[in-house]
Each structure stands twice: as structure tokens, then as C-alpha cells.
Amino acid sequence: MTKRRMFLRMITASLLRRRSRMLIALLSIAVGATILSGLVTIYIDVPRQMGAQFRSYGANMILLPKEGTHMTAESLQEVLGVIPEAEIVGASPYRYVRLDMPSRQQSFITAGTEFSQVQKTSPYFSVEGAYPEKTREVLVGKEIAETLGIKTGSSIELHYKTSGTAGQGQAADAAAGETLTGSAEGFNKVIVTADLVLDEEGKIASVSVDAASQTPGIGSLVGTDRQFLDQFIGKKLPLSLSNTASGEDAADEDHVVDAVTGATISSQAAVDAMNNAVLSGEAAPVERAEQFTVTGILSTGGEEEGYVYMSLPDLEKLTADNAVDVAELSVTADAEVLEEYCRAVSEANPDVTARLVKRVTRSEASVLGKLQALVFLVTVVVLLLTMICVSTTMLAVVSERRREIGLRKALGAADNSIRKEFLGEGLFLGGLGGLIGAALGFGFAQVVSVNVFGSSISFQPLLLPVTVLVSMVIAAVSCQMPIKRAVAIDPAIVLKGE
Amino acid sequence: MALLELKNVSKIYGDLKALNDVSISVEKGEWVAIMGPSGSGKSTMMNIIGCMDKPSVGEVLLDGVDISKEPQKVLTDIRREKIGLIFQQFHMVTYLTAVENVMVSQYYHSMPDEAEALEALDRVGLKERAKHLPGQLSGGEQQRVCVARALINHPELILADEPTGNLDETNENIVLDLFRQLHREGTTLIVVTHDPEVAEAAQRTIVLEHGRVAREIINENFEA
Ligand SMILES: Nc1ncnc2c1ncn2[C@@H]1O[C@H](COP(=O)(O)OP(=O)(O)OP(=O)(O)O)[C@@H](O)[C@H]1O
Ligand SMILES: [Mg+2]
């Protein structure tokens, strides 16, 4: 038998046949190793996972219309074409409009969006209830819900109002095909009214004037003179009379008409009435209302809790336009590629600006940094505790084995032999404990990961030897004090029969 | 030439002189018994001879080397190479079997050899119990394992401190027979005992009293 085999036989016998104490040391090393390998697994794996989550689910790019232009759902769809479809995890259009709730004398910012996309670009949205699926369903921010006592299933009526300052062109568009009515003061301050219909281009399609109040045979001709009335067809508002026009207007054939001879005042009144018809039609505040069912209460911990969310088509029905204010995108690509996509977007549609959202990455980094620092700290503390525990146990073991150590020395064991034997036992314990710990640690990390982060963890093969090695080092370090004690034991105690 | 020579050796613990100017000499191959009342310094002397303690005053020559001047490391080497120890309380490594306990001695000395260790156990009549742990052996059997362990490396000098103190008649005789065999093989034996019968088995008895050599008795009836 070789010396090495005898050495191994002695230390394994010591560990196997004197179980209780060694089991405690083994247990503490195994627990330490479990926490070490578990936390390190989390330390390594979770940032990877969280990073993936942030990257693949959080918005990391936003699209905005250039000032003075506006985006629509269609133009957005077009622009998205420049980014490979596989890399787009989600793209949420947002249209923000202030809607009123007259029953409560409240008004909120309401966002029109696509809920299926929102769940991808804003995974941190937490909805109590459900996301809207049908039309006329809304999500209400928690803050609103709490102040107004709105609950899932509540019904709310929201109103859209224009303030009446909308631009001429837009109102004219809206009025296409409809009959507009206007009035103006004519001769003797008596009212002349005009009805007119505009075509899609804003040109007058048909017109009728009620001038019965004017001087019969003179002013009243304004309402009956076909020659006078026919010249309006194809003209655009605002109109003016040729004899009163400035040089500029005179040159603009689209807007200039000739007066009925001898009835300038009545003609002017007719023209004013028509101008007023359109202008008042445009200027009149529009109000549209709709009844909505609340399907869920949204909490995000942010300003979103003060918003109401509805589907884009629902909002479009209220606002009667299809503008999109901003789009949030989540794209799986790293920073450089993202920059490239930004440029490509601007090239594809010069009216759209693409920007990278730095906020997510920064918070990601800080959250991960803190998490890692915490894990590091806990690991160090646990390792220290393990060392203290192993050291104390080994000290107890040494005093328990005083006689045996004295005996070995009396039998001729050199100090180095004693050192080697205890270190051997320590390393054996460390290795075994590390092995157990690596296995348990993986399980521990798996449980934590599944419960806390909702995803399973991948096994890090390198972690096994590392855990075993670290455990052995820890055991070896912990054994130093006990070894010193052991070496100092006097062999003479054996003869004294202590 | 004497294998062991103590010249004016004293061991002083504070006011107490555990050994007081002791001079003795033991020849190679000699069998010496040491007697004396409790506290007379017998174990103290054995510790010094066994290289586990150093005298306060005096020289101890073992095989011509003054072990009172050597450093601890050298003392360990000498103990390992030349001395076999047997103790009153049969000290065994509790978690090793009988044969493994014998092999521990081989391990520190040179090479563990299970066959040789079993042979030594056979010599003390314990071959059958080789695989038993100390807890499974009687006191006498444990003491015989310790004898086997002491002789396994063929030491020049065997020191036994009350080897039969806890043994019955039968076991005492077994141990004494082993000593006789060792003596015949030329091993030097120093045996501390309270038992006159054990002392009578030796060639010479040194009696200690209050740390001094009170007298020496030559055993006229010694038979090898
Ligand atoms: N380390 C020590 N410190 C102080 N005094 C000691 C020490 N070792 C031994 N003594 C004292 O020295 C004296 C001799 O002790 P020793 O052990 O040699 O006696 P002994 O002859 O072996 O007695 P016994 O027959 O009871 O074993 C005793 O009085 C003892 O108390
Ligand atoms: Mg004694």
C-alpha cells in the first residue's frame, strides 16, 4: 500500500466513521456552496434574462412626426417596412387627445393605441381586469379610477370637443358634401341667407340664396338671377366681388364674382352669407360623444395612471381624423444597428424622426448594477459565515481529537504530516460540500428564477468546477487556525494519560 | 556502549523538581523496569527519554546523540526511527481498525504494509480482530494492538508506561511474553510499572522516589 492510499484511507475513515462533527462542517460548506453557486448563477443568468426582456419587450425606439407634419397609422406602417419584421417585437402607435367627462366635470388625456402592441412595448403595464378587445372599451389609469371611483365594468361617457379654432382647410374638408348655411346683413340691415354645398376640393358645387327680404326686383334678384348664381359654381371660398376687390383678389379668378348690376349691397350680402356659411360651419365647436365600458384598471407606477386608453379606431371616431402623435417600438437589435434603422426611417419618410430611447437602457443598467452589487454582498457575507462556521467546527474537531493528534505525534508524525492530514480532510470536505452545493445551488437558482423572474435558468457548466474550487479554498482557509492548534498539541499528553 | 545515558538530569516545574539529578544508563538490549510511588517522576523520565520533553538540566544521550540539545524536528525523527511507545491508556485512533492503527505507525515511519501489519497483529494473537474498531475491542486486546504497533517498525528501544496497569492476569502474561520475545530479538525495553510481578520479569529495576533514583535492583532470577 502506498503512502498516498493510506493517507486517503485515513482521512476518509476520519470523515466517514466520525460522522457527526464532520457532517456539520460538510453541511455548512454545502450550504455556503449552495448559496454561492445559486447566487452566482442568478448573478450571471438574470442580467442576461432581464436584458433580453428589456431589449425584446421594452420600447427602445420612438417615431415622431417632424414639426408641422403629422403621422397616420398608414404612414407609420409604411415606415416600419424598413426594419426587418422579425426584429420588431412590438410597435405601438399613440394618439393623445384630451377628452371630457361632463358627468364628472373632468377631462383626461386619452391615448388611442393598439393594445396588442402595447403589451409588447410596455411589458411593465399591469392591468387589473383585462385589456380592451372590442370597440368602445377602455382601460382607465389607476389614478383616475381611484379619484372617480371607476371600476372594471363601469360605463363612462367621453366627449370630444374642438375649441372652434380649427383651420379653414380642415373644416372645409369635414364639410364636404354637406349643406352649409350662412347669413349676412344686406340692404337696410335685413338678413340674407345662403345655402351652399362644397365638393371635396372645396369648390362650390351648388348654391342657393334667399334674398326675398331685399328690395323686390333689385336686391331680390340676388336670389333668382341665374347668371349671378351660376358664376359661383367651381369657385372657392372666401369670395369677394370684383368691383370691390383689391388688385390681388381681382387676379384670383377662383375667388372673384361679379355683382348683380344695381344691387351691389345685396350682392355683397350674398357673398358674405356664403363666406359666413363656411366660416361659421368651420368655427362652430364640434362635439362628439361615445359611451365606453371599462375593461381594466392600469397601474404602471408612472404618469400613465392618469390616462385613459382606448383603441385607435375608437378615438378616430371621436376626433374624425387618423393622426398618430408618436409610435413606440421595441426592436431586437443592438445600439449600432438601431442607429442605422433610425437613419433608414428618416430616409424612407423625411417627415418622420426616429429616436432611440436611452431611458430603458439606463434604468436597466442601474437595476442590474444594484442587483449584482446585492448578490455580490450577500455572497461575500455567506462565504464569511461559512468560513466562520467551518473554522469553529474544525476547532472543535481538533480539541475533540487532541489525544489522537498527540498520539500521532508520539508515533512520529512530523508537524507537516499533521498539517497535511487536516488540510486533506478540509479539502475533501470542501470538495464534497462544493459538489453538493453546486447541485443544490442550481436547484435554488432555478426556484428563485422561476418564482421571481418567471423564467428558467440555463445551467452554467463552468460553475461546477468553480464552486468546488471555491469551496475547497474556503475550507482550506477555514482550516488554518485549527491546523495551528493541532500542530501545537504536545505529544507528551499521551503519556500523561489525559 | 550504553544505548541510553541520563547524566544529572533534572526536570523542574516551578518549585517542584519532578526529576532531581537523575543519572542512569541502559545498555543496548537490556530490559529495565522503573518503579516508584505515584508522582515520583516516572512518566516525566519516560517523556524525556521518548523525545517528547526536554530536561531542565542535564544531558540525555540516546545512541550517542544528546537529545536534550536537539530541536523538536530532530526529536520527532529520532522518536519515529528508534522508539516504540506503549501507554497505560491504550491510545488508539478511534476511527481506524486494529490493522489500520498499526499501519499508522508504518505510515509515519516508512511505508504502510498491510501484510506486515497483519503479521504483527498475528504475533499479539489478534489476527482475527484486525478489522475491528477500537470500540469493538477489549482493553487487553487494545493494549496488544498497541504492542503490535510499537514493534512494527523494529525500534531499538521500546518505552512502555504501565503497559499492564489496566490488564487482567491473562492479558498481562500475554504482554509479558511479547516483551520476552522482543528482548530475545535484541530490543531494548524500558517498562514503567507499579506491579512487582512485571518488574521481576525485567533484568534490572530502577526505583524512583521524589524525583531521585532511590535504588537499583538486579534481578538474579532473570531468565530470557
Ligand atoms: N506539566 C507539568 N507541570 C507541572 N507539574 C508537573 C507536570 N508534569 C508532571 N508534573 C509533576 O511532576 C511530578 C512527577 O510526575 P509524573 O507524571 O512523572 O509522576 P509519575 O511517577 O508518572 O506518577 P504516576 O505513577 O502517578 O503516573 C508530579 O508531582 C506531577 O504533578
Ligand atoms: Mg505516570
Side-chain angles (χ1 to χ4, degrees), chain A residues 495, chain B residues 42-43 88 161-162 192:
Chain A
L495 281 189
Chain B
K42 305 183 295 294
S43 293
Q88 178 177 4
D161 196 347
E162 303 204 32
V192 170

Side-chain angles (χ1 to χ4, degrees), chain A residues 496, chain B residues 13 16 18 36-45 162 194:
Chain A
K496 294 224 179 79
Chain B
Y13 295 116
L16 179 84
S38 186
S40 57
K42 305 183 295 294
S43 293
T44 304
M45 192 163 88
E162 303 204 32
H194 282 293

Side-chain angles (χ1 to χ4, degrees), chain A residues 1-4 6-7 9-11 13-15 17-18 401 403-404 406-418 420-421 425 490-498, chain B residues 13 43 46-47 52-53 72-73 76 79-80 85-87 89-97 99-101 103-114 131 133 149 161:
Chain A
M1 174 173 295
T2 62
K3 277 189 98 132
R4 177 144 16 102
M6 183 64 193
F7 175 74
R9 194 156 158 185
M10 287 194 303
I11 58 177
S14 161
L15 296 177
R17 297 198 186 129
R18 332 172 39 262
R401 293 168 69 181
R403 274 170 38 143
E404 180 209 323
L407 172 65
R408 284 176 184 275
K409 290 180 124 188
L411 292 177
D415 290 353
N416 266 339
S417 299
I418 301 289
K420 233 168 75 182
E421 280 153 33
E425 287 188 17
D490 184 359
I493 60 165
V494 180
L495 281 189
K496 294 224 179 79
E498 271 174 30
Chain B
Y13 295 116
S43 293
M46 291 297 258
N47 272 338
M52 293 186 287
D53 208 349
Q72 193 62 49
K73 218 172 135 59
T76 304
R79 181 165 66 241
R80 179 169 59 227
L85 291 164
I86 301 167
F87 321 100
Q89 278 105 348
F90 355 90
H91 285 289
M92 289 178 73
V93 180
T94 50
Y95 54 86
L96 294 181
T97 60
V99 67
E100 283 168 345
N101 263 281
M103 286 161 73
V104 167
S105 196
Q106 290 177 312
Y107 171 78
Y108 291 124
H109 181 264
S110 48
M111 272 297 162
D113 182 337
E114 192 157 7
K131 297 278 187 248
L133 289 168
R149 186 176 62 195
D161 196 347

Side-chain angles (χ1 to χ4, degrees), chain B residues 55-183:
Chain B
S56 309
V57 185
E59 274 180 23
V60 181
L61 296 170
L62 182 65
D63 237 358
V65 178
D66 184 359
I67 59 176
S68 63
K69 303 282 185 294
E70 297 295 340
Q72 193 62 49
K73 218 172 135 59
V74 176
L75 292 183
T76 304
D77 290 344
I78 292 173
R79 181 165 66 241
R80 179 169 59 227
E81 295 303 324
K82 300 193 168 163
I83 298 168
L85 291 164
I86 301 167
F87 321 100
Q88 178 177 4
Q89 278 105 348
F90 355 90
H91 285 289
M92 289 178 73
V93 180
T94 50
Y95 54 86
L96 294 181
T97 60
V99 67
E100 283 168 345
N101 263 281
V102 177
M103 286 161 73
V104 167
S105 196
Q106 290 177 312
Y107 171 78
Y108 291 124
H109 181 264
S110 48
M111 272 297 162
D113 182 337
E114 192 157 7
E116 206 185 322
L118 283 171
E119 212 175 284
L121 282 178
D122 193 22
R123 215 173 144 182
V124 299
L126 283 175
K127 197 171 183 176
E128 311 302 307
R129 322 295 309 265
K131 297 278 187 248
H132 287 80
L133 289 168
Q136 301 165 314
L137 297 174
S138 76
E141 286 164 341
Q142 286 188 50
Q143 190 63 300
R144 277 143 67 192
V145 174
C146 289
V147 173
R149 186 176 62 195
L151 57 82
I152 188 76
N153 294 323
H154 310 290
E156 278 179 71
L157 175 61
I158 284 185
L159 300 177
D161 196 347
E162 303 204 32
T164 59
N166 293 319
L167 300 187
D168 65 0
E169 188 90 12
T170 326
N171 276 300
E172 185 178 302
N173 284 329
I174 294 173
V175 170
L176 282 179
D177 279 341
L178 283 166
F179 285 174
R180 282 188 193 102
Q181 279 179 41
L182 288 168
H183 174 71

